[in-house]
Amino acid sequence: MKDKIVNLLVIGILTLLGFIVVGDFLVALKENRPVDSSIINLLQVTITGLIGIIGTYFGMNSNKKE
């Protein structure tokens, strides 16, 4: 059950992040402006958070096997 929750969480966050980033890139392209720096910051923070979530999940699974 935890496998499905972690997978759903990661896929959902990446999907939402993808929509936000693609939307901002399209608006920036249409308005001929640079990409908003807050979107780049959002990408960095979100990817760091996902690495933490996935790392914790794998760490918990390795403890159970030992």
Side-chain angles (χ1 to χ4, degrees):
M1 183 68 178
K2 288 181 185 178
D3 294 340
K4 290 181 182 179
I5 292 172
V6 170
N7 287 336
L8 184 63
L9 180 66
V10 170
I11 290 170
I13 290 173
L14 286 177
T15 303
L16 182 61
L17 184 65
F19 282 130
I20 293 170
V21 169
V22 168
D24 188 62
F25 283 169
L26 290 176
V27 169
L29 183 64
K30 188 173 182 179
E31 294 180 356
N32 200 16
R33 64 167 174 83
V35 178
D36 194 6
S37 63
S38 65
I39 296 296
I40 303 301
N41 187 31
L42 176 67
L43 275 171
Q44 293 173 343
V45 170
T46 305
I47 290 173
T48 303
L50 286 176
I51 290 171
I53 291 170
I54 294 169
T56 302
Y57 173 72
F58 283 124
M60 288 173 44
N61 278 346
S62 69
N63 285 339
K64 286 183 180 180
K65 292 179 183 176
E66 292 177 357

